[in-house]
Amino acid sequence: MSKKVLVVGGVAGGASAAARLRRLDENAEIIIFERDEYISFANCGMPYYIGGTIKERQRLLVQTPESMHDRFNIDVRINSEVLGIDVDKKILKVKSKNSGIYEESYDYLILSPGAEAIKPKIEGINSNKIFTLRNIPDTDGIKSSVDKSGVNSAVVIGGGYVGVEMAENLKKRGLQVTLVEAAPHIIAPFDSDMIVMAEKELVENGIDLVLNDGVKSFKDSEHSIEVTLNSNTKITADLVILAIGVRPDTNFIKDSGINLGVRGHILVDNKMKTNIENIYAVGDAVEVVDFVNNQNTAIPLAGPANKQGRIAADNIAGLNSTYKGTQGTAIIKIFGLTAASTGNNERTLKRLSIPYKVIYIHPASHASYYPGALPLSLKLIFTDNGKILGAQAIGYDGVDKRIDVIAATIRLGGSVSDLTELELCYAPPFSSAKDPVNMAGFVAENVISGKTDVITPKEFLNYNRENTILLDVRSEIEFSNGHIEGALNIPLDNLRKRLGELDKNKEIIAYCQIGLRGYIASRILSQHGYKAKNLTGGYKSLSILNFTPKKYDKNSHTSQKQILDQDTQTVKSEVALDKLDYDKSLDACGLCCPGPLMQVKASMDNLTEGQILKVTASDPGFYEDIKAWCQRTSNKLVDLNRDKSTITAFIKKSSTKVENYIQNASSIRDNKTLVVFSGDLDKAIASFIIANGAVSMGKKVTMFFTFWGLNILRKHEKVSVKKSFMDSMFGFMMPRGSRRLKLSKMNMMGMGAKMIRKVMKNKNVTSLEDLIKSALDNGIEIVACQMSMDVMGLRKEELIDGIKIGGVGYYLGEAEDSNVNLFI
């Protein structure tokens, strides 16, 4: 006896179920009901059709009603909306465009209604200039609007997958695009320490990015729409794309007796069966089990929907198929970048109180000596016993295959040790002998086995560093080009010789550029009796967290000089790149920091005054690094260009001050640096008068306080901190704060200091305390020497608020950018 199977909804889940069922049962009567005209289309491709990458609309249509009928003998009824279900009578109530309202009986029912775009009750949200993107009619509406002349700007609300893809594709169409996200970061499946790289990519490609700010209202006008955010920021555009999320389209079954979750999703078992006999459900409308944490969740993805449709059909046909859960493996293109993830992120694990560990690596996409090697960043999350909980990767090449391998390992119950043993394809153009997946496994295995104790960048930012030494084991050139404040620089190759400079009573946090040298340093230190941690991911991972998009400014959009064409970003000089003459070229592609800078330095050393070096590099950090390097070395950056993942710089050798960076912008070293060694009242007053005078003239001023000068910065009140006996004695004998400072001459047991303060007050001269406050308010950098603080037993808590802690390296870096350097 043949079965009569009704399928509500097509696209991924419903269409897959119907096609699979036909392949299993030639005699079944199968009917698909679709509310719109299109039963199976590539909804993931819709942004790229709007953006012009997919040229032909027809390519989005996977199956038509006619092709579905001809190939699979399935009755497809489009423009047919299912209004309700009578589960006792096994009848659907259907409203058809052509046939009106009627009933249809079934033996089996597969529900695949999908999800609908969320449209909150916000003032003005019903404007015809506001679009959502869920189906072909939505796509046609947006594309028609974008194609009109006079449409030059768009606001995309929501930074999920659809929102980011729409922002990119609208930008490629030449629109001025603002992306607004209410959360602190875009694309929720990624942790903030990874997704900031994608945010930077958006900004660098001309997207105005607004984070942590939701929409308050919309206001329509004849030719534009004004979006008011919760911060009262107002953005005017020609159209709005609303992409703040989806909810299950299940209103039509609320009174049917089919069990729904708290957010309206259909509840199913592992055979995709509902609580009602012979009724199955698949796709975006169902609640599934998270494969990693075994909790119920909703993950609207096309891949799982297809698999669920197949499993429902299997069970109707008598096969015993089960769905084992969804990992949430997903990928997105963001201009030149690729971002992919699988499993759980830190946010989910914290919410569920699941303990975990994290490591970061920053390998090359393939062998670094083969041309075109590009950096990628990989984050692995795992448990103490090696179970893999999740992974995230971002880069320009090779991201997809690394996450796919880890996703497969998770699905098969593998551990981090299994990652080390995987035998993956290797040839120089495709990978390295130790693939990044293997490397992630090695690093994680070292953490689990106790060979290294790691600290993550986010943990480091909140870490109590009172009794620690921050050790930078990179080269001197890397250190001078940027380092963590307060770090001591001992290059790794010199570490064994200089171990005596480190205090064994203090914990040492070692870091390098990406984590490998930091690991080696931690092994050296631990085997010599030091307590050491390695900053996983190194300076690169920590630096990533510093990126914050600029606040939206309606008057400062992308410069017309920044020309965006497909995946190309170029900041052009007055001379076309192909016409720029150069004397020597350097290919630094495939090298990770500090490789490119070291190669640049070696090449520049062999040039003569006025000669030009052309450099190509693939390390994304090189774009900013070369600017800083040229500024500090007095070489002229003639031009800087980014094309996809390749950065090209033209550098002119010069022994004079840097006159410009890019586009002949002036960048003359005119900063002021003061080293305050003395703790005398009169010298302290003089130093702050000079500093405040310099900053009032628009100069950047750094004041570096060392030894007795630190007493000027002490709080007046006693601060309770735990110290050794000797440190406490130092603190007791030294003056606590600016009010207790003595004069260098005629102090007269404190009378001289009181007299000079009275004279200053009578003559309306600003007091030292007010001068210090003005200095902080005016942005003067006041830096306390870490080494001097250690020697004198002072703690950061004893210093007034707003003081930075730094070392000699920090001072020297500031001094290099100064044309005045005073020692007081």
Side-chain angles (χ1 to χ4, degrees):
M1 182 177 177
S2 65
K3 307 180 185 78
K4 183 177 182 181
V5 184
L6 305 186
V7 182
V8 180
V11 198
S16 294
R20 170 67 170 174
L21 187 59
R22 172 57 74 223
R23 293 193 296 270
L24 295 174
D25 188 346
E26 182 65 21
N27 297 316
E29 180 184 359
I30 305 172
I31 305 173
I32 297 179
F33 297 94
E34 175 55 53
R35 183 167 49 193
D36 299 318
E37 295 181 28
Y38 307 93
I39 60 157
S40 183
F41 54 88
N43 47 5
C44 296
M46 295 186 299
Y48 300 98
Y49 170 64
I50 294 169
T53 301
I54 298 173
K55 304 295 183 184
E56 299 172 9
R57 179 179 180 274
Q58 190 66 26
R59 290 183 173 271
L60 296 176
L61 306 179
V62 179
Q63 290 281 0
T64 64
E66 295 75 20
S67 65
M68 201 77 170
H69 178 270
D70 294 344
R71 177 165 295 182
F72 296 106
N73 189 26
I74 292 173
D75 181 2
V76 179
R77 301 180 186 179
I78 59 174
N79 297 314
S80 297
E81 181 181 6
V82 175
L83 302 177
I85 307 170
D86 187 328
V87 298
D88 296 322
K89 296 181 180 179
K90 292 189 176 181
I91 289 174
L92 290 188
K93 187 177 182 181
V94 183
K95 180 182 178 181
S96 169
K97 182 178 179 180
N98 298 322
S99 305
I101 296 175
Y102 67 95
E103 293 180 343
E104 191 72 47
S105 65
Y106 65 85
D107 296 316
Y108 291 89
L109 176 62
I110 301 175
L111 299 173
S112 179
E116 59 184 352
I118 295 174
K119 290 188 72 173
K121 294 180 180 179
I122 296 175
E123 179 185 343
I125 200 165
N126 292 321
S127 166
N128 61 8
K129 296 184 182 69
I130 299 176
F131 300 87
T132 59
L133 183 62
R134 287 295 297 169
N135 52 37
I136 296 295
D138 292 344
T139 305
D140 291 339
I142 296 171
K143 191 169 189 306
S144 175
S145 181
V146 173
D147 288 344
K148 292 177 183 176
S149 61
V151 175
N152 301 310
S153 59
V155 176
V156 179
I157 311 294
Y161 289 103
V162 173
V164 171
E165 288 172 346
M166 280 304 305
E168 175 184 346
N169 281 281
L170 290 173
K171 187 67 184 179
K172 287 185 175 181
R173 288 294 305 271
L175 273 65
Q176 177 184 295
V177 180
T178 303
L179 177 61
V180 177
E181 170 55 54
H185 294 282
I186 63 172
I187 315 182
F190 290 85
D191 289 313
S192 58
D193 52 10
M194 293 293 286
I195 204 61
V196 286
M197 288 182 269
E199 292 168 351
K200 190 170 187 285
E201 183 79 2
L202 288 170
V203 171
E204 289 179 347
N205 280 277
I207 302 292
D208 290 313
L209 182 60
V210 179
L211 298 175
N212 220 14
D213 206 352
V215 177
K216 183 187 292 184
S217 65
F218 300 99
K219 185 178 180 181
D220 218 346
S221 65
E222 184 179 356
H223 299 296
S224 63
I225 183 168
E226 183 182 76
V227 183
T228 301
L229 305 182
N230 290 332
S231 62
N232 288 322
T233 300
K234 296 183 186 299
I235 308 171
T236 301
D238 298 317
L239 62 90
V240 169
I241 306 295
L242 195 63
I244 60 175
V246 296
R247 58 184 166 216
D249 191 1
T250 55
N251 281 331
F252 71 101
I253 59 173
K254 280 188 175 178
D255 299 323
S256 65
I258 298 172
N259 288 342
L260 301 178
V262 292
R263 292 182 293 167
H265 294 88
I266 304 169
L267 301 181
V268 295
D269 62 15
N270 63 0
K271 298 181 186 298
M272 306 314 297
K273 187 177 178 182
T274 70
N275 62 303
I276 305 296
E277 190 69 24
N278 291 359
I279 298 182
Y280 295 78
V282 301
D284 293 355
V286 304
E287 200 169 278
V288 296
V289 172
D290 186 303
F291 183 82
V292 173
N293 61 49
N294 294 318
Q295 303 291 312
N296 277 20
T297 187
I299 304 177
L301 293 171
N306 275 286
K307 296 176 183 67
Q308 292 160 14
R310 181 184 179 91
I311 288 168
D314 282 356
N315 285 291
I316 290 173
L319 302 179
N320 188 26
S321 294
T322 58
Y323 186 69
K324 296 179 177 63
T326 301
Q327 285 172 234
T329 307
I331 191 166
I332 184 172
K333 174 186 174 297
I334 308 166
F335 291 98
L337 270 182
T338 302
S341 68
T342 188
N344 288 178
N345 58 21
E346 286 194 71
R347 194 165 47 253
T348 299
L349 295 170
K350 285 178 180 176
R351 176 172 55 82
L352 297 174
S353 299
I354 298 174
Y356 64 90
K357 294 183 179 296
V358 173
I359 60 96
Y360 304 83
I361 61 171
H362 302 284
S365 58
H366 60 243
S368 58
Y369 57 81
Y370 186 87
L374 302 171
L376 64 86
S377 296
L378 177 62
K379 176 178 183 176
L380 189 67
I381 310 174
F382 53 96
T383 64
D384 279 332
N385 64 5
K387 178 184 177 182
I388 305 170
L389 300 175
Q392 300 162 38
I394 294 183
Y396 294 92
D397 184 39
V399 168
D400 52 346
K401 67 178 180 179
R402 271 67 193 220
I403 290 297
D404 281 343
V405 167
I406 295 173
T409 306
I410 292 174
R411 178 63 62 163
L412 297 175
S415 67
V416 296
S417 294
D418 292 311
L419 295 184
T420 69
E421 296 175 9
L422 290 174
E423 187 175 332
L424 304 172
C425 292
Y426 164 59
F430 305 103
S431 184
S432 300
K434 288 187 284 191
D435 188 87
V437 170
N438 300 135
M439 289 302 302
F442 291 140
V443 176
E445 205 172 48
N446 286 336
V447 172
I448 292 171
S449 64
K451 290 184 178 65
T452 184
D453 188 4
V454 298
I455 182 171
T456 68
K458 285 193 288 189
E459 288 171 339
F460 175 80
L461 293 175
N462 298 310
Y463 199 68
N464 183 358
R465 307 210 303 265
E466 181 180 344
N467 197 39
T468 64
I469 296 173
L470 185 56
L471 179 64
D472 189 321
V473 298
R474 299 175 301 161
S475 65
E476 292 178 2
I477 188 173
E478 291 173 274
F479 185 83
S480 66
N481 217 44
H483 57 267
I484 303 173
E485 186 177 322
L488 170 67
N489 181 216
I490 301 180
L492 178 62
D493 294 343
N494 300 332
L495 181 58
R496 289 183 181 86
K497 304 176 202 171
R498 297 175 59 182
L499 286 173
E501 299 176 30
L502 302 173
D503 187 347
K504 279 192 175 181
N505 295 316
K506 293 189 175 183
E507 181 183 54
I508 299 173
I509 300 176
Y511 77 90
C512 62
Q513 187 66 19
I514 60 174
L516 178 57
R517 285 172 289 171
Y519 164 65
I520 297 171
S522 72
R523 291 296 300 153
I524 294 171
L525 291 165
S526 63
Q527 292 179 80
H528 281 84
Y530 293 85
K531 184 181 179 183
K533 289 182 184 287
N534 177 30
L535 179 65
T536 182
Y539 185 71
K540 182 171 183 176
S541 285
L542 188 67
S543 300
I544 287 165
L545 296 177
N546 292 330
F547 174 75
T548 303
K550 293 181 180 178
K551 290 185 177 180
Y552 176 79
D553 181 357
K554 65 181 180 181
N555 296 316
S556 85
H557 293 295
T558 305
S559 167
Q560 292 301 310
K561 292 181 181 179
Q562 292 186 356
I563 303 167
L564 298 169
D565 179 22
Q566 296 297 320
D567 285 335
T568 302
Q569 180 190 11
T570 308
V571 183
K572 290 191 179 294
S573 67
E574 293 180 1
V575 182
L577 279 179
D578 56 357
K579 294 182 179 179
L580 273 174
D581 291 326
Y582 55 91
D583 300 279
K584 184 178 180 181
S585 65
L586 167 66
D587 183 359
C589 290
L591 297 179
C592 295
C593 185
L597 284 181
M598 296 177 72
Q599 294 282 342
V600 167
K601 182 182 184 304
S603 296
M604 292 297 288
D605 287 346
N606 294 323
L607 295 183
T608 58
E609 181 89 9
Q611 288 189 310
I612 292 177
L613 174 70
K614 176 187 176 183
V615 187
T616 54
S618 55
D619 184 352
F622 184 73
Y623 193 82
E624 298 298 331
D625 285 350
I626 195 61
K627 297 179 189 177
W629 186 85
C630 286
Q631 184 185 27
R632 285 190 167 92
T633 58
S634 297
N635 290 294
K636 181 178 178 181
L637 187 55
V638 177
D639 198 281
L640 186 60
N641 164 273
R642 189 201 309 268
D643 183 359
K644 295 184 179 179
S645 55
T646 301
I647 299 161
T648 304
F650 289 82
I651 308 163
K652 184 176 183 179
K653 180 152 185 178
S654 171
S655 60
T656 59
K657 300 291 184 184
V658 177
E659 295 177 353
N660 60 7
Y661 273 133
I662 301 168
Q663 298 172 332
N664 300 319
S666 176
S667 180
I668 300 172
R669 296 179 185 177
D670 198 18
N671 300 340
K672 315 298 175 189
T673 308
L674 290 81
V675 180
V676 184
F677 176 85
S678 171
D680 296 330
L681 174 61
D682 45 338
K683 294 176 182 177
I685 293 170
S687 64
F688 275 98
I689 288 174
I690 294 169
N692 278 290
V695 80
S696 69
M697 298 171 65
K699 313 300 181 185
K700 182 187 175 186
V701 180
T702 300
M703 302 180 74
F704 191 79
F705 288 77
T706 183
F707 282 98
W708 314 117
L710 290 171
N711 293 317
I712 303 169
L713 306 180
R714 293 182 72 183
K715 291 177 179 175
H716 304 299
E717 67 277 6
K718 186 175 181 181
V719 178
S720 179
V721 290
K722 188 175 181 181
K723 294 185 180 182
S724 67
F725 174 77
M726 188 62 69
D727 287 348
S728 297
M729 287 299 295
F730 256 108
F732 176 76
M733 291 187 291
M734 292 186 300
R736 190 167 60 239
S738 59
R739 293 174 188 161
R740 300 188 183 184
L741 300 180
K742 299 176 181 180
L743 286 178
S744 60
K745 303 289 183 182
M746 300 190 334
N747 186 56
M748 297 180 294
M749 300 183 69
M751 287 299 297
K754 292 180 179 179
M755 289 173 62
I756 199 168
R757 283 183 179 274
K758 181 172 175 58
V759 171
M760 289 173 67
K761 184 175 181 182
N762 291 340
K763 296 191 176 182
N764 205 26
V765 177
T766 306
S767 69
L768 174 57
E769 290 70 37
D770 287 341
L771 285 169
I772 293 172
K773 184 177 184 301
S774 294
L776 289 167
D777 291 344
N778 290 328
I780 292 175
E781 285 194 347
I782 300 180
V783 183
C785 174
Q786 179 69 67
M787 181 274 294
S788 298
M789 289 177 64
D790 291 340
V791 170
M792 301 178 72
L794 291 177
R795 302 290 184 266
K796 185 177 182 179
E797 293 87 348
E798 296 179 84
L799 304 183
I800 59 178
D801 295 336
I803 304 301
K804 290 184 176 181
I805 308 298
V808 174
Y810 183 86
Y811 156 68
L812 292 174
E814 295 300 311
E816 284 184 13
D817 290 338
S818 302
N819 62 2
V820 171
N821 188 24
L822 301 179
F823 193 91
I824 299 176

